Amino acid sequence: DYAFAIKEMDLDSLQYKTENFELDDIANAYSVQLFPHAFVPRPEFLYLAFPTSNPILKQMIWPISLAFIFTLLLLLSLILIINSLLHHKKLSAIKTDFINNMTHEFKTPIATIQLATDSVMSDKIITQPEKISYFMGLIKGENKRMNDLVERILQMAQLEKKTFDLLKSEVDAHQLLEAVVENSDLKIKEAQGEIKLNLKAAKCNLHADEVHLTNVFFNLIDNAIKYKSQHLHLEISTEIKGKFLSILFKDNGIGMDKDTLAHIFDKFFRLTEGNIHTVKGYGLGLSYVKVIVEKHHGTIHVQSQLGLGSRFELLLPLKD
């Protein structure tokens, strides 16, 4: 539906109009000058109005909507691309740092093995069995060190495969923790620290892989030692939480900030100060811990604060 009118300039009345066109409709009407090239005292204008709706706006709804959606998609794509680039840049930096660190770790035993081999082959040493035995011990120790690193990396690659299965059996968590603490006693003493066991859970039997669970406990203790403060105090406690056994590792180490907490379970990630790593490692320990805990249908929760230490709580399902 439409209405139109003709009006001369500077006049307050309409010269011609349809019945449904009022003088007030001029404000919202489309207009064009009639006979623009003719010489007339007062130019006349044709006014066209649509009382019920605006067909031009109606026709433009879909193009405007599509343009808005397309613009929104472009913005979202740009955000995703930038986020992906930043993620890959960070991942690349972490992997590069891991490779550099691993290369450095390999260089030391390789150099030691080389020196020990040269010494054994020396004319002065070859006639002294006790020195040969000493250098062979060095070679064996450094070879084991390199083998441990390779095994750790291969182990993480295996854990990520969907075909990986745990060899589960009935495990007494308290006995396992006591054995791990006993084996870690020397490391704790070298770190000038102390470890306290507070095993108060009434039930502690788990259906778990004993080897991998042992490695989890060792990793958490090693982590506390690596990031200790002046005097390490580590407390390991257990309690029942519903159908789960809670195993809490609480230390008074250097702690972590929120940014670090968000990435501690990422592969190859290590706590740093600026661009300098404060401790040696490969960024695989806590990643391994998380994978193994989840394989046991458990969860791991971390709380930490800079200068106040960290709390790692494992929740593992109890054996029925």
Side-chain angles (χ1 to χ4, degrees):
D1 296 334
Y2 66 93
F4 69 91
I6 298 174
K7 176 180 175 298
E8 289 186 3
M9 184 183 289
D10 299 330
L11 290 182
D12 294 332
S13 60
L14 301 174
Q15 276 60 55
Y16 178 84
K17 71 179 186 70
T18 55
E19 293 182 1
N20 54 348
F21 195 100
E22 302 296 335
L23 188 61
D24 294 338
D25 294 335
I26 288 179
N28 299 317
Y30 299 96
S31 64
V32 64
Q33 184 179 348
L34 298 176
F35 316 114
H37 303 294
F39 178 76
V40 290
R42 289 194 184 92
E44 293 180 325
F45 289 85
L46 171 66
Y47 293 92
L48 179 64
F50 301 93
T52 55
S53 65
N54 189 333
I56 296 179
L57 182 61
K58 189 174 182 180
Q59 293 174 15
M60 291 298 291
I61 285 176
W62 276 109
I64 291 172
S65 300
L66 290 174
F68 176 77
I69 294 171
F70 184 68
T71 303
L72 186 62
L73 288 175
L74 282 177
L75 287 173
L76 289 174
S77 300
L78 182 61
I79 292 171
L80 288 174
I81 289 170
I82 292 174
N83 185 60
S84 179
L85 286 173
L86 291 174
H87 173 73
H88 284 291
K89 183 180 179 181
K90 187 170 185 178
L91 184 62
S92 177
I94 291 172
K95 286 187 175 181
T96 300
D97 178 71
F98 165 74
I99 292 169
N100 292 337
N101 182 62
M102 187 178 66
T103 304
H104 175 74
E105 291 297 322
F106 270 124
K107 277 184 176 181
T108 303
I110 288 172
T112 304
I113 291 171
Q114 182 65 47
L115 288 172
T117 305
D118 291 341
S119 299
V120 169
M121 296 177 65
S122 171
D123 293 336
K124 295 180 180 180
I125 301 298
I126 201 166
T127 57
Q128 302 180 42
E130 68 281 358
K131 289 191 176 181
I132 291 177
S133 178
Y134 169 74
F135 287 120
M136 292 303 292
L138 282 179
I139 292 172
K140 184 178 180 181
E142 294 302 316
N143 182 68
K144 184 179 183 300
R145 180 178 167 188
M146 289 192 295
N147 186 64
D148 288 343
L149 171 59
V150 173
E151 284 297 326
R152 179 71 66 86
I153 296 170
L154 292 176
Q155 192 178 56
M156 282 305 301
Q158 185 184 13
L159 287 175
E160 291 183 343
K161 293 181 180 178
K162 293 181 179 179
T163 55
F164 174 78
D165 292 320
L166 298 173
L167 300 176
K168 293 184 177 181
S169 61
E170 186 173 350
V171 176
D172 187 314
H174 285 178
Q175 288 183 3
L176 203 61
L177 283 167
E178 288 170 352
V180 169
V181 169
E182 184 178 350
N183 290 333
S184 302
D185 186 60
L186 184 59
K187 285 185 178 181
I188 294 290
K189 287 180 179 177
E190 287 179 354
Q192 297 180 345
E194 59 181 353
I195 187 167
K196 179 182 178 183
L197 281 175
N198 186 18
L199 309 179
K200 56 184 180 180
K203 293 174 60 179
C204 61
N205 289 337
L206 307 174
H207 187 57
D209 187 309
E210 185 173 349
V211 174
H212 284 293
L213 197 58
T214 300
N215 291 336
V216 166
F217 296 157
F218 272 122
N219 271 298
L220 291 172
I221 291 175
D222 286 342
N223 195 70
I225 294 172
K226 285 179 182 179
Y227 299 103
K228 69 181 182 69
S229 55
Q230 292 182 352
H231 180 75
L232 172 65
H233 178 76
L234 175 62
E235 181 180 351
I236 303 175
S237 59
T238 62
E239 64 176 315
I240 302 297
K241 288 189 175 180
K243 296 182 179 181
F244 292 86
L245 173 66
S246 168
I247 306 173
L248 180 64
F249 292 75
K250 181 181 178 183
D251 64 62
N252 62 339
I254 60 176
M256 297 172 281
D257 57 22
K258 291 183 179 179
D259 291 336
T260 302
L261 277 174
H263 299 285
I264 58 171
F265 295 117
D266 295 347
K267 284 177 65 177
F268 311 124
F269 179 82
R270 293 188 297 136
L271 180 61
T272 61
E273 287 184 0
N275 292 323
I276 303 172
H277 289 281
T278 57
V279 296
K280 292 185 178 181
Y282 311 106
L284 296 174
L286 290 178
S287 177
Y288 169 81
V289 167
K290 188 173 188 291
V291 170
I292 294 300
V293 170
E294 290 178 348
K295 288 282 186 181
H296 283 85
H297 307 292
T299 56
I300 181 169
H301 306 280
V302 187
Q303 293 179 352
S304 186
Q305 192 172 347
L306 278 175
L308 298 178
S310 304
R311 292 164 48 97
F312 288 84
E313 183 182 22
L314 309 180
L315 289 175
L316 297 170
L318 289 162
K319 187 178 184 301
D320 295 332

